[in-house]
Amino acid sequence: MKLEGKVALITGAGSGLGREASQLFASEGAKIAVVDIDPERAKGTVELVEQQGGSAIAVTADVRVEQQVVDAVAATVAAFGKLDIAWANAGIVSRGGVPSVAGGEQVEFQDLTDADWQDVIGVNLSGVFYTAKAAVPALRANGGGVILATSSAASFVAYHSIAAYSATKAGVNGMVRGLSLDLGKYGIRVNAIAPTHGMSPNFLAPAGAPVVGQSYEEVAGPWDPSVSPIPLKLNRPPSLKDNARAALFLVSDESAYISGVTLPTTDGGTLSRVAMMFPEDGNNPPPMVTGEE
């Protein structure tokens, strides 16, 4: 097993990718600290891990509050004796989200409040900073280890109506590069995954909504790759596990010399696109936009 004898702390593990990865990591031999702001969701993930024969504890913490993250790391070490992997996975979308996906009301950038800005920074950027900072002493005491963060495809390309979210995820990429340089001397690797597809609808759902356990694409109905915008055509939709498996690679010894990398995951060629797509046969190209009428 790829994580035999390892101890992993995962924030935002009460639903979505964090819940899926908790189960996957446990199946590979890791003991899991399931950290989430919602205690019931955290307990639900622990139950799923234990049902498959794994070992896990539930820890309630708000990653925006440094002391709560410090306490989560301490609880992990107290329960399992050490820490090998710290995954800063918790994240939220900026207010307004992606209206076409969430069915919510669009919020114009200029209408975002300072509270909106501080909230998305607090979870998506400060939460990564606090998790990494709290983990370093325990990882050093263990002779090294891995810090992983969840970034986003939105850190590389623009998505409509989530500029604040995109900014925080680009910040995560910069932090990963900087920390890999600073912490390598302690045997600590630092990487991130940047999912494009195969993520949970819970990300855009209100707090307390039922945990879906599937990706957007899986819950959308029968899968038809011919109408999917993903360039790679497969006979199944992208899933949470596709992203979790990439994370597993980055926290396992199989990636022992990878550090400072943000890896786009479950992308299927999406990020290879240019802004203007042309017909495959080269005929009847789309009109050029010149700015003149």
Side-chain angles (χ1 to χ4, degrees), residues 3-173:
L3 300 180
E4 184 67 38
K6 304 286 188 181
V7 174
L9 176 152
I10 306 175
T11 69
S15 63
L17 177 58
R19 173 170 285 191
E20 186 71 29
S22 294
Q23 296 173 82
L24 178 62
F25 287 13
S27 73
E28 291 288 343
K31 297 177 180 178
I32 312 296
V34 177
V35 181
D36 202 276
I37 195 171
D38 185 329
E40 294 307 312
R41 284 186 172 184
K43 291 176 184 176
T45 299
V46 169
E47 290 174 1
L48 291 171
V49 169
E50 291 178 341
Q51 286 171 12
Q52 67 183 37
S55 179
I57 60 168
V59 182
T60 304
D62 183 341
V63 298
R64 295 171 295 184
V65 182
E66 183 175 11
Q67 188 58 51
Q68 292 189 27
V69 181
V70 170
D71 292 344
V73 171
T76 303
V77 175
F80 299 126
K82 63 172 183 171
L83 180 67
D84 299 283
I85 299 160
W87 182 359
N89 170 68
I92 60 171
V93 72
S94 44
R95 188 167 67 94
V98 186
S100 62
V101 175
E105 180 181 0
Q106 181 176 338
V107 177
E108 296 286 344
F109 172 75
Q110 64 271 20
D111 294 328
L112 292 173
T113 66
D114 182 64
D116 294 328
W117 176 234
Q118 297 303 328
D119 198 33
V120 73
I121 286 179
V123 177
N124 295 354
L125 195 54
S126 295
V128 176
F129 174 81
Y130 295 148
T131 302
K133 182 182 175 186
V136 168
L139 295 175
R140 287 187 64 184
N142 195 41
V146 182
I147 295 170
L148 185 68
T150 300
S151 181
S152 169
S155 68
F156 296 114
V157 296
Y159 279 67
H160 178 62
S161 78
I162 55 171
Y165 171 84
S166 298
T168 61
K169 293 303 185 177
V172 167
N173 297 355

Side-chain angles (χ1 to χ4, degrees), residues 194-274:
T196 306
H197 309 288
M199 291 298 281
S200 171
N202 281 114
F203 182 61
L204 297 178
V211 177
V212 176
Q214 291 182 302
S215 68
Y216 297 108
E217 294 84 357
E218 288 174 317
V219 302
W223 175 250
D224 183 353
S226 69
V227 298
S228 166
I230 303 173
L232 179 65
K233 303 302 179 185
L234 299 180
N235 61 3
R236 66 165 180 84
S239 69
L240 294 168
K241 186 164 285 187
D242 289 310
N243 287 298
R245 285 174 175 145
L248 173 62
F249 168 69
L250 287 177
V251 302
S252 75
D253 292 340
E254 291 182 348
S255 60
Y257 254 95
I258 297 178
S259 192
V261 171
T262 297
L263 176 67
T265 57
T266 318
D267 165 57
T270 301
L271 295 182
S272 68
R273 293 176 184 267
V274 295

